[in-house]
């Protein structure tokens, strides 16, 4: 077996580096070659892409209305002082 | 350029501009502060202090980073100085978590043959209806997986994949090298994917 050939177990560890465009040209070529030849890893990459997209929809903390009032109060104070 | 105009509006006392800026960022700032500090009331205080610090320091904003990055950097400084004692180690996670060897591979070793090939090909998520991924149940799995992550991984995942910060900005905010930032991001994403995969297997 050619030692330069990527196997699936290695492929999954390189996905973020690939998506972040942080692989060296040689590693990127090996990654893309494996991707073309392996259905399993193509699906895995899709799963990671879908995961990233879904993470983007995670909700953040809510703000209480009183909190905004406090902030606006501080803003007015700040502006009148400056 | 837009940042500069916003800064000018704030300095002119434009309340709508300030309200908009706070509204847009408060939730994710609190989430990050919570990740670092672990205590809600302290985290809320830190976010509040951050906004006061932003106003006081506004005339010193030079536009070398985006206004948002600048605000988050103030937040992280405040968060770090707010924690003492036992929790301090956690707040100063920066490089430590990244270089700490992860015992868990991105995909359990049992899913590969001895040669490192898939025993069973991953299932095709691209064909599952979008509604399934956006379902409340999936959202819960997602939120749970994210909150189970170590602090540094959670912080990087939030800033990168929820907030859309660029990697350089995250390195700047969290004081990480770009290699470590990517390691943390990859570990976080892989764990969340694993949780979604496990959930999906269960649904089938
Ligand atoms: Zn493969």
């Amino acid at each position: 077996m050619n030692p330069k050939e990527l196997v699936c177990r290695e492929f999954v560890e390189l996905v973020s580096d690939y998506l972040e465009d942080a692989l060296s040209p040689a590693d990127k070529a090996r990654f893309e070659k494996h991707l073309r030849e392996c259905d399993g890893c193509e699906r895995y990459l899709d799963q990671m892409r879908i995961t990233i997209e879904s993470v983007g929809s995670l909700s953040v903390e809510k703000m209480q209305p009183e909190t905004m009032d406090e902030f606006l109060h501080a803003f007015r104070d700040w502006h009148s002082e400056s | 350029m837009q940042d500069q105009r916003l800064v000018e509006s704030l300095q002119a006392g434009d309340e709508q501009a300030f309200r908009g800026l706070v509204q847009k960022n408060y939730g994710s700032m609190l989430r990050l502060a919570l990740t670092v500090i672990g205590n809600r009331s302290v985290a809320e205080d830190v976010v509040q202090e951050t906004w006061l610090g932003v106003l006081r320091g506004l005339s010193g904003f030079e536009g070398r980073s985006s206004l948002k990055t600048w605000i988050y950097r103030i937040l992280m400084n405040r968060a770090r100085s707010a924690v003492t004692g036992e929790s301090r180690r956690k707040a100063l996670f920066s490089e430590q978590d990244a270089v700490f060897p992860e015992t868990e591979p991105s995909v359990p070793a049992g899913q590969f043959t001895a040669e490192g090939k898939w025993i069973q090909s991953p299932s095709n998520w691209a064909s599952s209806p979008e509604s399934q991924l956006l379902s409340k149940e999936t959202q819960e799995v997602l939120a749970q997986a994210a909150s189970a992550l170590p602090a540094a991984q959670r912080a990087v995942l939030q800033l990168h994949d929820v907030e859309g910060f660029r990697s350089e900005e995250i390195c700047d905010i969290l004081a990480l090298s770009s290699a470590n930032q990517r390691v943390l991001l990859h570990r976080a994403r892989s764990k969340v994917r694993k949780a979604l995969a496990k959930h999906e297997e269960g649904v089938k």
Side-chain angles (χ1 to χ4, degrees):
Chain A
M1 200 176 83
N2 183 347
K4 290 245 165 90
E5 291 270 331
L6 216 56
V7 293
C8 308
R9 186 169 47 211
E10 296 163 333
F11 180 97
V12 301
E13 301 299 345
L14 296 177
V15 168
S16 287
D17 283 355
Y18 175 70
L19 294 175
E20 297 294 297
D21 205 15
L23 291 176
S24 69
D27 284 342
K28 189 177 172 187
R30 288 166 73 212
F31 186 95
E32 287 178 338
K33 180 173 187 288
H34 185 89
L35 187 60
R36 280 193 301 272
E37 294 166 354
C38 178
D39 289 345
C41 285
E42 191 185 1
R43 283 187 178 184
Y44 185 85
L45 183 61
D46 277 343
Q47 288 191 354
M48 284 291 272
R49 283 204 170 108
I50 290 168
T51 299
I52 294 162
E53 226 173 277
S54 318
V55 165
S57 68
L58 274 175
S59 59
V60 292
E61 303 290 327
K62 296 251 190 314
M63 178 163 53
Q64 303 302 318
E66 315 83 87
T67 310
M68 183 56 98
D69 292 343
E70 283 169 33
F71 283 148
L72 285 173
H73 191 79
F75 180 72
R76 277 175 216 131
D77 283 354
W78 167 76
H79 186 247
S80 63
E81 281 163 22
S82 59
Chain B
M1 205 60 233
Q2 225 180 353
D3 278 352
Q4 210 50 55
R5 214 170 302 144
L6 181 54
V7 168
E8 280 162 23
S9 305
L10 295 176
Q11 277 165 336
D14 183 342
E15 280 186 21
Q16 281 313 313
F18 181 67
R19 184 193 284 270
L21 185 65
V22 172
Q23 227 144 29
K24 216 161 75 187
N25 293 289
Y26 180 88
S28 52
M29 285 167 74
L30 180 56
R31 178 61 62 88
L32 182 64
L34 259 173
T35 294
V36 174
I37 296 164
N39 174 302
R40 179 170 289 268
S41 72
V42 178
E44 281 171 352
D45 287 350
V46 160
V47 174
Q48 185 152 16
E49 272 173 37
T50 299
W51 282 107
L52 298 180
V54 164
L55 291 177
R56 279 195 293 263
L58 201 60
S59 56
F61 173 72
E62 289 172 323
R64 271 186 300 205
S65 61
S66 73
L67 184 64
K68 195 172 168 184
T69 300
W70 184 73
I71 293 172
Y72 273 73
R73 223 165 36 207
I74 296 175
L75 175 72
M76 278 303 291
N77 286 336
R78 304 265 156 168
R80 286 201 176 100
S81 50
V83 285
T84 50
E86 183 43 26
S87 39
R88 186 155 179 83
R89 205 180 38 82
K90 203 175 107 200
L92 298 170
F93 53 71
S94 12
E95 306 290 325
Q96 289 170 16
D97 278 23
V99 278
F100 195 73
E102 177 89 23
T103 44
E104 236 180 297
S106 297
V107 173
Q111 294 189 21
F112 297 111
T113 64
E115 295 79 43
K117 291 183 181 162
W118 295 107
I119 290 174
Q120 197 188 351
S121 179
S123 62
N124 187 0
W125 290 4
S127 69
S128 51
E130 196 141 332
S131 56
Q132 192 184 318
L133 272 159
L134 296 172
S135 76
K136 210 173 160 202
E137 215 182 304
T138 311
Q139 290 289 314
E140 253 160 50
V141 173
L142 207 61
Q144 217 161 52
S147 65
L149 295 170
Q153 291 178 23
R154 196 160 9 126
V156 171
L157 186 74
Q158 190 210 324
L159 292 177
H160 198 286
D161 290 347
V162 184
E163 294 303 313
F165 277 105
R166 284 180 294 117
S167 295
E168 308 90 79
E169 295 173 321
I170 297 169
C171 294
D172 190 0
I173 293 166
L174 299 180
L176 288 166
S177 71
S178 62
N180 285 345
Q181 190 266 151
R182 275 200 314 279
V183 168
L184 292 168
L185 182 62
H186 185 65
R187 287 176 184 171
R189 287 170 169 177
S190 300
K191 283 182 197 161
V192 174
R193 187 214 63 90
K194 209 190 295 177
L196 287 175
K198 206 171 147 197
H199 174 69
E200 201 225 19
E201 294 299 305
V203 168
K204 260 195 290 186

